[in-house]
Amino acid sequence: MNVAIHSLFKFKLGCLMLLLISMLGGCGWFGGKKTPTRVPAELAEFKPNLSVRTLWQAQVGSSGRFALQPAHSGDLVVAAAADGTVSAYQLSTGQLRWRVTAGFPISAGVGVGNGLVVVGGGEGDVLALSLTDGAVRWKSKINAEPFGAPALVQNVVVVRASDARLFGLDAEKGSRLWTVQRTLPPLVMRTEALMATSADTLFTGMPGGRLLAVNASNGNIRFDTSVALPRGSTELERMVDVIGPVLLNAGEVCGAAHQGRVACINIQTGALSWARDFSAAVGLGGDARYVFAVDTRSHVQAFSRNGGAVVWKNERLQYRALSAPVSWGRAVVVGDFQGQIHFLAREDGAMLARVPTDGGMVRAAPIMVEQSAINAVIVQTANGGLFVLGQ
């Protein structure tokens, strides 16, 4: 069998097996054993200790089954919908600046940088728009489904595909510069492993528990370090994909693996700084002092950036299908399956505030904005609500 066809067959078979397992688990049975019922925790009352309100909101269109994440640049916030709509708003006022249609369903977005807005989807379509007015700069094509927000690194647009391949495209013309493909394990998680950038280097989590650093100018691998090693007797038990956003801060890049570990890696050497056993449901958030992670039970946990010691753990949002966290001032912010936005104390995990949105699930991590003119958190729901929250 042709190697490319064989890899594609393994990938599609893995996705089919995960879907079947999910369906069986939803019925409460798998392998003849009844699985525990995962009942979301009821929202308990508490005395707010942080004043947060909705500064403005808009309707951008449903994100469907994708974790479409808004992006901001200067005084613009840009959001995409699964139907192909891309909208830009003035961050300070909520005024619509422009709205265009990509011409294909969007599964990857939004990437912003160098005066560009980049989205992907359809049959491998990648579209670059002008950040100023939404005019088309270029269209390109990759031979895979774009998945997760594209990253812009200097003069290169990096697009990640659903099969974990990375494509480097020229930011001016959209022509392909390079492709990175790694060997995939038999089963992989279909999840947005969002990328982080520093100077000319791109960092991303990979299936099989790896964290990859890539030279964005030529696609060369700078390091490929293990966050977690597969364990167990079945392929399902051995699935340790590094998922969601990776965290870049203070000379380290940190990632979290499903059924694996949370780990931080030195970005200069690729050496492991520290690691702790952890089964991640989503990617990481954090700041100069802490790494914030959410496990498969929706427990939020804080680790010290210096050595990985556990600082606190909040179990009050159990099984509420939390988004990846973001650090915002003295709070850690997560969204849940009912569109509730929770603000936890950065120092001890106590509940500070809660803000409702439109009831739609918050799949993508909130976006933090800290500027002289505005200090806010941007949230997009599956129902298409775009909310800018502030004090």
Side-chain angles (χ1 to χ4, degrees):
M1 182 182 289
N2 180 277
V3 174
I5 296 176
H6 179 64
S7 298
L8 183 60
F9 173 77
K10 287 174 63 180
F11 177 73
K12 289 185 174 180
L13 179 60
C15 289
L16 181 60
M17 291 178 68
L18 282 177
L19 177 61
L20 178 59
I21 291 166
S22 176
M23 291 171 64
L24 288 171
C27 294
W29 295 90
F30 181 67
K33 295 181 180 180
K34 191 171 183 178
T35 57
T37 301
R38 297 194 167 195
V39 179
E42 295 291 335
L43 295 179
E45 296 295 326
F46 62 92
K47 184 179 181 180
N49 194 23
L50 180 68
S51 177
V52 184
R53 60 189 178 91
T54 300
L55 302 180
W56 59 265
Q57 65 186 80
Q59 177 58 230
V60 299
S62 170
S63 60
R65 60 190 176 89
F66 301 106
L68 299 180
Q69 186 178 53
H72 78 93
S73 178
D75 194 35
L76 281 184
V77 54
V78 187
D83 67 0
T85 303
V86 185
S87 307
Y89 298 84
Q90 189 168 344
L91 178 58
S92 55
T93 66
Q95 179 183 1
L96 179 66
R97 295 284 293 274
W98 54 261
R99 176 172 288 161
V100 300
T101 300
F104 54 81
I106 293 176
S107 59
V110 175
V112 169
N114 300 331
L116 295 178
V117 173
V118 184
V119 295
E123 300 296 326
D125 299 288
V126 182
L127 177 67
L129 304 169
S130 166
L131 177 62
T132 303
D133 58 12
V136 174
R137 290 284 187 87
W138 49 259
K139 294 181 181 179
S140 189
K141 200 92 168 176
I142 61 174
N143 58 334
E145 178 192 18
F147 205 56
L152 290 95
V153 195
Q154 296 183 347
N155 62 341
V156 178
V157 174
V158 182
V159 180
R160 180 173 170 131
S162 57
D163 60 2
R165 277 184 291 169
L166 302 175
F167 295 84
L169 308 179
D170 184 280
E172 292 185 4
K173 303 176 181 178
S175 54
R176 188 184 303 185
L177 301 174
W178 49 262
T179 304
V180 171
Q181 182 172 6
R182 312 299 281 177
T183 302
L184 295 180
L187 289 183
V188 299
M189 297 184 70
R190 184 180 171 86
T191 181
E192 291 85 350
L194 301 183
M195 301 171 282
T197 63
S198 176
D200 64 347
T201 304
L202 176 117
F203 303 90
T204 185
M206 298 293 284
R210 315 293 298 181
L211 204 154
L212 204 63
V214 179
N215 184 329
S217 62
N218 54 26
N220 290 341
I221 306 299
R222 290 196 159 151
F223 65 75
D224 181 357
T225 302
S226 174
V227 169
L229 296 175
R231 296 179 293 183
S233 57
T234 68
E235 294 296 348
L236 185 62
E237 292 173 335
R238 294 172 59 81
M239 188 167 57
V240 289
D241 297 4
V242 177
I243 59 177
V246 294
L247 174 66
L248 187 62
N249 201 333
E252 292 182 330
V253 58
C254 305
H258 177 70
Q259 300 185 145
R261 300 190 298 184
V262 170
C264 287
I265 296 164
N266 184 291
I267 63 172
Q268 298 299 325
T269 66
L272 194 67
S273 299
W274 59 264
R276 295 290 179 268
D277 287 344
F278 192 82
S279 183
V282 290
L284 300 177
D287 51 36
R289 291 184 60 192
Y290 303 118
V291 173
F292 304 113
V294 178
D295 69 17
T296 52
R297 296 170 295 176
S298 294
H299 296 168
V300 186
Q301 197 157 313
F303 299 88
S304 169
R305 285 296 296 259
N306 183 20
V310 176
V311 179
W312 55 259
K313 185 176 184 179
N314 184 313
E315 302 179 358
R316 297 180 64 178
L317 303 174
Q318 181 163 292
Y319 297 135
R320 294 193 63 85
L322 301 182
S323 71
V326 64
S327 179
W328 181 61
R330 65 185 183 100
V332 181
V333 188
V334 293
D336 72 15
F337 76 107
Q338 292 181 324
Q340 298 284 342
I341 312 303
H342 306 275
F343 296 77
L344 282 61
R346 173 178 175 267
E347 300 297 330
D348 61 10
M351 304 298 295
L352 295 178
R354 181 189 304 139
V355 177
T357 57
D358 60 6
M361 184 174 187
V362 179
R363 292 195 177 97
I367 301 296
M368 180 267 294
V369 181
E370 289 184 323
Q371 300 176 350
S372 57
I374 186 169
N375 183 10
V377 173
I378 307 170
V379 176
Q380 183 173 344
T381 73
N383 289 348
L386 182 67
F387 293 81
V388 177
L389 312 176
Q391 294 179 286

